[in-house]
Amino acid sequence: MRHFEHLAPSVRNGLFHREPGVFDADSPARTLAVALGATLYCPGTRPALAEDVVKQGERGVVSMVVCLEDSIGDADVEAAEENLVRQFARLDQLRPPDAEGGPSLPLLFIRVREPGQITDLVRRLGPAGRLLSGFVLPKFTEERGVPFLEALTGAESTRGRRLYAMPVLESPELLHLETRTETLAGIARTVDKYRDRVLALRLGVTDFCSAYGLRRAPDMTAYDVQLVASVIGDVVNVLGRADGSGFTVTGPVWEYFRQHERMFKPQLRRSPFAGPAEALRTALIQHDMDGLLRELHLDRANGLQGKTCIHPSHVAPVHALSVVSHEEYSDAQDILRPDLDGGGVLRSSYTNKMNEVKPHRAWAERIMLRAEVFGVAREDVSFVELLAASVGTTE
């Protein structure tokens, strides 16, 4: 699979200086962690789950989570598990192991409630378990996390194929100031011990807000809620370092997908959308996407990759803003030049900034990894053109 595969080759050629690379479930973990992009969640009770997975794959989704936790009621867990097993079997029929030329299925994960579900579901999935890439582990702390990861390790050995964990950092102990440092240290110990199985760490901002009876409005980002912003900063500080000890930390969910009454002005300037794209700007504002776009920029500025999504309309903006700009790529190439291993400072090729080789090296390496999976836009192509092309294929 690869990002933007749903676009016609001629369209991709017009958008990309360097097209997105190909990857699959067996690619290196560092590649998959970035390639997750917009991870689309859906409840395990969906009656046409298999067909939905195929459809979303055809529309550019590369990672999905089937949720057995907060998205369904406590009384529906057993029925959701049964439905999930049936739907995976159906999906296995739609996409048999020797199929060629068909649609690429997204990487599939299951969000469970308890460790025992991991062992049980892997057993019940049978041959269709080949479609499973791993599990999402809720309310992750050291105490809760170890049993989950031990169950995953056991299920992996039974299945004979790699299974990844994506812990969700959302517990009150992590939010509360008096327990945050100790909780973060415990999480760090746990995920480091199981490093080979931890694909990415996900932030559960809705649960953070719930602990204080808060909910951000559609014209505010997670970073406008100071309680949330502080914990995001601390999570990245401890778990997202670029020195080789860190993990990929994904952006929080954006909850809105319909128009609401606004208190503040739209957050999208007109100039990037001048001309034919003005209608796209209007549509984004009407569906509260301007707030999502701003939050995506802030995610990136704060060291987060990808995003948890609860609606298909969120996928295209996340992926469009994940493409590396030609300017970023040019800067990264300059910084990583072999003849500059000893450091130094140079003016950027765009002549608008200073590139300092040693301090900017980790940034440049991350840019190059993102370029591998999301590609590099042509010099005259912005996220507006990328988004317009993607949105046009899903309407």
Side-chain angles (χ1 to χ4, degrees), residues 45 68-82 113:
T45 51
L68 300 174
E69 206 226 0
D70 286 345
S71 69
I72 63 173
D74 296 343
D76 297 326
V77 175
E78 183 177 346
E81 289 179 346
E82 292 173 356
R113 295 182 172 216

Side-chain angles (χ1 to χ4, degrees), residues 95 98-104:
R95 186 66 171 158
D98 58 351
E100 293 183 5
S104 296

